[in-house]
Amino acid sequence: MTDPTRVTDQTGRPAAPRGARDPFVDWVRQATPYIHAHRGCTFVVCFGGEAVADPGFAHLIHDLALLHGLGVRLVLVHGARPQIEARLTERHSELRYVNGLRVTDDAALACVKEAAGVVRVEIEALLSMGLADSPMAGVRIPVASGNFVTARPIGVLDGVDYRQTGVVRRVDRQSLAQRLDAGAVALMPPLGYSPTGEVFNLSAADVARSAAIALAADKLIFLIEEPGVCDESGALVSNILSSEVEALLAAAPAGHPGALPEDLAQALRAGADACLHGVRRVHLIDRQRDGTLLRELYTRDGSGTLITGQPYEGLRSARTEDVTGILELLRPLEERGVLVPRSRERLETEIGHYFLMERDGLVIACAALHPYPQQRMGELAGVAVHEGYRGGRRGDKLVTHIESVARTRGLTRLFVLTTQTAHWFQERGFLPATRADLPTEKQALYDRQRNSLVFIKDLSA
């Protein structure tokens, strides 16, 4: 007998109770804006030979295939260091690095060519999979590789002849763009060629940087062996500016205790230079975390370190188009009685008084400054921080900014009315006051039923 309380979907499987949140559906809905935003964009993705040798490399290829299926134009740049070193060891050849760069003699160059060829074939094979029970089922991904990179030798540096180790001289943007326009995934090995027919061993980071700049790529992504850039406490730094990278590298130079791992240092240098040449976003993410690429690209907070030329999370004056975002931010606090409800019409009228913090298009914090110039006072109102972004001192930054704006406008005192956050404001220098201390105009509007507490901060101190 059928249980009338048992709810099933169209396939007969148990369905979630009506009204229950489905994590999968929630994720798809949250990812949708990014799916639309990334379609037609060009991403250059760089990963080392360590990723290729990893047993889980197929999962990364599946994720890359998904990006391609979602309309992303992909350029893949691979390294081959462990594969090269394995071949050199087998042939009892010398492994020599100076300042993080391999000295590529004739024996090493032969190993570089062989390893790069094998890695290329492995990647092409995985991108050609089409088993019915795999994530690649029904997928047809053309792969294009070739002599896209013209290179030159590094030459002799500090007395060291690096032989066939080179640097990128030029990337054939037109040929690469043609392959991408045709729907192919472009595959670039760490090799370059000279007009005289020489072959050079290149840094994959250099190739990726040069390709991203040549193509004016929307993103340059490094899949590295570390989580990203971490601070002194070991916490991941989610965003750094390209202008900060040089100081970061200088603070931990190669060969010193605490030096950054070489692949991270190379990615930082290449990423900062790409930003200076017009690439808007460079991502450094841990390739060892399964699914990290998708998390970085299709969630708001990502999973690694982002390098940008301009601040990723900005504080600015609000504009009319921000009204909806501010209303959504304020609504939960209004429903709990923490804030006084504001209508859209009122907010549109007062939008010039608001300041906000924005992260990737989402309003994550806001506050307003309502001036009373005759009394040289200002009201701090509508302070709100998105529940997913608390703990980053964003409220403090907003209040500090509003205090600075108030001072520039000749205001000497800032007051706030609150019912549930008195301690938070007291901890920031606001002192208890009375309704009689408010500007006369504000006293007339005071809601006796709400019975808000009054706090005032002296800005002239």
Side-chain angles (χ1 to χ4, degrees):
M1 180 176 178
T2 303
D3 182 354
T5 64
R6 185 173 181 269
V7 182
T8 60
D9 61 18
Q10 293 179 347
T11 66
R13 293 190 294 267
R18 186 179 298 276
R21 299 293 296 269
D22 186 327
F24 171 75
V25 173
D26 285 346
W27 183 87
V28 172
R29 288 170 177 164
Q30 292 169 11
T32 298
Y34 298 97
I35 293 173
H36 291 306
H38 297 336
R39 185 178 294 116
C41 291
T42 300
F43 295 174
V44 177
V45 182
C46 180
F47 49 87
E50 294 83 358
V52 181
D54 193 299
F57 183 57
H59 295 301
L60 174 58
I61 291 294
H62 295 160
D63 293 346
L64 291 167
L66 176 59
L67 295 186
H68 181 267
L70 291 173
V72 175
R73 295 154 54 92
L74 282 176
V75 177
L76 307 183
V77 180
H78 69 81
R81 173 174 288 194
Q83 292 82 358
I84 294 168
E85 292 179 347
R87 284 163 174 78
L88 284 168
T89 300
E90 290 172 1
R91 298 170 192 182
H92 306 290
S93 295
E94 180 185 5
L95 300 172
R96 188 183 177 203
Y97 292 90
V98 180
N99 296 324
L101 294 173
R102 186 194 311 279
V103 177
T104 309
D105 56 20
D106 291 341
L109 183 61
C111 293
V112 170
K113 292 178 182 177
E114 182 181 322
V118 169
V119 170
R120 176 180 64 83
V121 170
E122 289 180 4
I123 295 172
E124 289 179 347
L126 288 172
L127 286 170
S128 301
M129 287 177 58
L131 296 176
D133 59 348
S134 79
M136 303 286 286
V139 176
R140 173 73 178 92
I141 303 177
V143 182
S145 188
N147 56 342
F148 299 125
V149 178
T150 300
R152 64 171 177 81
I154 287 180
V156 179
L157 298 177
D158 297 327
V160 178
D161 184 355
Y162 286 90
R163 307 287 294 276
Q164 297 304 111
T165 298
V167 292
V168 176
R169 181 177 172 187
R170 183 176 64 86
V171 171
D172 188 347
R173 186 201 67 79
Q174 184 176 2
S175 295
L176 265 177
Q178 287 175 346
R179 305 308 196 277
L180 297 175
D181 290 343
V185 169
L187 185 58
M188 301 180 68
L191 296 174
Y193 309 90
S194 75
T196 58
E198 293 177 281
V199 180
F200 294 100
N201 176 27
L202 306 178
S203 157
D206 186 25
V207 174
R209 173 196 65 86
S210 301
I213 293 171
L215 291 167
D218 299 278
K219 292 182 184 293
L220 170 57
I221 301 168
F222 290 98
L223 297 169
I224 57 177
E225 300 303 301
E226 293 76 32
V229 178
C230 296
D231 61 19
E232 294 179 354
S233 67
L236 183 68
V237 178
S238 61
N239 181 215
I240 60 174
L241 299 178
S242 57
S243 58
E244 299 171 338
V245 168
E246 192 60 39
L248 181 64
L249 292 170
H256 288 70
L260 298 176
E262 185 57 32
D263 72 320
L264 175 57
Q266 287 189 5
L268 282 167
R269 292 190 193 95
D273 189 66
C275 284
L276 292 175
H277 286 84
V279 178
R280 292 183 59 244
R281 294 187 176 182
V282 178
H283 303 254
L284 279 57
I285 54 181
D286 182 0
R287 65 96 188 160
Q288 299 186 67
R289 290 184 58 195
D290 188 31
T292 187
L293 182 61
L294 300 181
R295 187 177 298 278
E296 179 72 8
L297 295 174
Y298 294 100
T299 65
R300 179 165 281 111
D301 296 323
S303 62
T305 297
L306 177 69
I307 306 175
T308 57
Q310 299 295 326
Y312 172 56
E313 183 177 299
L315 194 164
R316 61 173 174 82
S317 299
R319 301 185 288 262
T320 302
E321 55 267 30
D322 299 314
V323 168
T324 298
I326 294 174
L327 285 171
E328 291 178 355
L329 179 64
L330 297 178
R331 186 176 297 114
L333 295 174
E334 293 174 351
E335 291 174 348
R336 299 205 307 267
V338 177
L339 296 178
V340 176
R342 291 162 175 79
S343 66
R344 174 178 287 273
E345 292 74 18
R346 176 185 170 185
L347 191 55
E348 289 175 347
T349 301
E350 299 178 345
I351 195 65
H353 295 163
Y354 279 81
F355 300 85
L356 59 83
M357 299 186 75
E358 180 185 46
R359 184 181 179 91
D360 205 20
L362 176 71
V363 178
I364 61 171
C366 74
L369 171 62
H370 300 298
Y372 294 83
Q374 290 186 344
Q375 292 83 13
R376 300 185 68 187
M377 296 182 73
E379 180 184 9
L380 173 62
V383 180
V385 179
H386 191 288
E387 63 180 0
Y389 296 92
R390 293 170 188 164
R393 301 186 63 82
R394 293 178 176 88
D396 291 276
K397 293 175 184 177
L398 266 174
V399 171
T400 299
H401 180 72
I402 284 181
E403 289 175 2
S404 176
V405 172
R407 290 188 183 96
T408 63
R409 296 180 181 178
L411 307 181
T412 59
R413 290 184 295 170
L414 200 62
F415 71 86
V416 63
L417 303 180
T418 181
T419 58
Q420 300 181 35
T421 54
H423 284 183
W424 192 88
F425 287 106
Q426 286 182 287
E427 290 167 3
R428 283 146 186 85
F430 287 80
L431 301 177
T434 67
R435 181 161 54 93
D437 297 314
L438 298 174
T440 304
E441 182 181 348
K442 187 65 181 179
Q443 290 183 39
L445 297 173
Y446 182 85
D447 186 345
R448 293 177 180 274
Q449 184 175 358
R450 185 170 172 81
N451 196 28
S452 298
L453 300 175
V454 179
F455 293 89
I456 295 178
K457 183 173 185 177
D458 185 357
L459 300 180
S460 61

